[in-house]
Amino acid sequence: KLMNDSVPLVSICSTTYNLENYITDAIESWLAQVTTFDYEIVICDDFSKDRTVEIIEQYTKRYPEKIKLLKSEKKLSMMPNFIRSLKAAKGKYIAICDGDDYWIDTNKLQMQIDFLEKNEDFVACLTNSYVINEQTKEKKIAKRQIWDVATTKELLYHDDFHKDNINLSPGHISTYVFRNHLIENFPEWFYDDDVVTDYPLYMLISKYGKTKFI
């Protein structure tokens, strides 16, 4: 539980839009995290038309001091809604998790924060992830670039696609944890929906230090 006047060490930031089939798994995975520190959950909904907001509100009633829901009166679009979630974060660190993803390790957050707390020259870290086929339920480990420590250069010069057309990502955005308050104002181009959240954010944050793959 978070007291009203306390500042959490970590803010879990998520965005939602018509994710009624997924948001429960996401929230449950955040609440299941075993940590030695306080964390808040910030969810920004982009004017969902289904039961997404209703489901989130059931959780905010149960965890009013831990979960904060920011609703929209009109559609903002992806990037403005994403930036809104980051700006609402109070924590020293931000952990990203999309509303249609979830974490499978209850120690995930603790491990990443422990690393960043002990290594001040690192500004962010990523982990591996699985991709689940919604129809067949087949689960595959995500293909990624093989690296341990990355600067902006390593993040920038990744191979976009493997020969079998599987994206070789440096790590999925929903595993990303980074130091908050590094960027005071996001550049104008970052608000454009032609921008996809992960690589541009990795680039902006990597200007301030190294990224670790755990």
Side-chain angles (χ1 to χ4, degrees), residues 1 15 20 29 32 37 41 59 78 81 85 124 128 131 137 146 152 168 176 183 188 193 207 209-210 213:
K1 234 179 188 183
T15 57
E20 64 179 9
S29 77
F37 49 79
I41 298 170
Y59 282 95
M78 180 178 68
N81 193 46
S85 72
N128 218 335
V131 178
K137 306 303 179 185
I146 306 301
T152 305
L168 287 176
Y176 193 54
I183 302 171
E188 285 188 20
D193 270 354
K207 289 163 55 178
K210 296 180 288 186
F213 187 90

Side-chain angles (χ1 to χ4, degrees), residues 28-62:
E28 289 289 346
S29 77
W30 307 331
L31 292 172
Q33 291 299 300
V34 179
T35 66
T36 58
F37 49 79
D38 285 336
Y39 62 89
E40 66 173 353
I41 298 170
V42 179
I43 307 173
C44 288
D45 183 76
D46 197 13
F47 202 50
S48 289
K49 302 293 188 181
D50 62 2
R51 293 183 59 250
T52 299
V53 169
E54 178 187 338
I55 294 168
I56 298 169
E57 286 179 332
Q58 291 172 2
Y59 282 95
T60 61
K61 289 176 182 176
R62 290 166 57 191

Side-chain angles (χ1 to χ4, degrees), residues 31-213:
L31 292 172
Q33 291 299 300
V34 179
T35 66
T36 58
F37 49 79
D38 285 336
Y39 62 89
E40 66 173 353
I41 298 170
V42 179
I43 307 173
C44 288
D45 183 76
D46 197 13
F47 202 50
S48 289
K49 302 293 188 181
D50 62 2
R51 293 183 59 250
T52 299
V53 169
E54 178 187 338
I55 294 168
I56 298 169
E57 286 179 332
Q58 291 172 2
Y59 282 95
T60 61
K61 289 176 182 176
R62 290 166 57 191
Y63 305 94
E65 294 179 330
K66 198 172 193 72
I67 302 176
K68 178 166 61 176
L69 169 62
L70 299 180
K71 295 185 281 188
S72 300
E73 295 182 358
K74 63 179 182 179
K75 188 84 168 64
L76 298 176
S77 75
M78 180 178 68
M79 293 308 292
N81 193 46
F82 176 66
I83 294 167
R84 183 170 66 132
S85 72
L86 302 184
K87 288 185 174 181
K90 297 178 181 177
K92 178 180 177 181
Y93 300 97
I94 291 178
I96 303 291
C97 190
D98 295 330
D100 56 350
D101 293 315
Y102 61 94
W103 296 337
I104 60 173
D105 190 330
T106 57
N107 295 309
K108 180 257 190 207
L109 206 52
Q110 184 73 55
M111 287 188 288
Q112 289 181 279
I113 297 303
D114 283 347
F115 176 83
L116 290 172
E117 285 280 88
K118 294 173 184 174
N119 297 274
E120 293 187 359
D121 53 332
F122 284 81
V123 292
C125 55
L126 291 150
T127 77
N128 218 335
S129 58
Y130 288 104
V131 178
I132 302 174
N133 185 303
E134 192 170 8
Q135 280 73 45
T136 67
K137 306 303 179 185
E138 182 184 12
K139 184 170 73 171
K140 290 185 177 180
I141 199 161
K143 297 233 178 184
R144 64 171 183 87
Q145 285 293 91
I146 306 301
W147 56 274
D148 176 50
V149 176
T151 64
T152 305
K153 181 179 178 180
E154 282 79 37
L155 291 170
L156 185 61
Y157 289 102
H158 67 281
D159 293 326
D160 280 327
F161 288 94
H162 191 258
K163 63 183 179 181
D164 57 4
N165 235 23
I166 297 176
N167 198 348
L168 287 176
S169 167
H172 193 268
I173 186 71
S174 288
T175 76
Y176 193 54
V177 176
F178 64 99
R179 297 185 190 274
N180 196 5
H181 310 302
L182 293 176
I183 302 171
E184 289 187 12
N185 295 296
F186 287 92
E188 285 188 20
W189 56 263
F190 199 75
Y191 288 79
D192 193 325
D193 270 354
D194 287 335
V195 173
V196 180
T197 54
D198 51 5
Y199 292 112
L201 182 62
Y202 300 165
M203 297 297 106
L204 290 173
I205 296 298
S206 70
K207 289 163 55 178
Y208 301 95
K210 296 180 288 186
T211 300
K212 171 74 173 177
F213 187 90

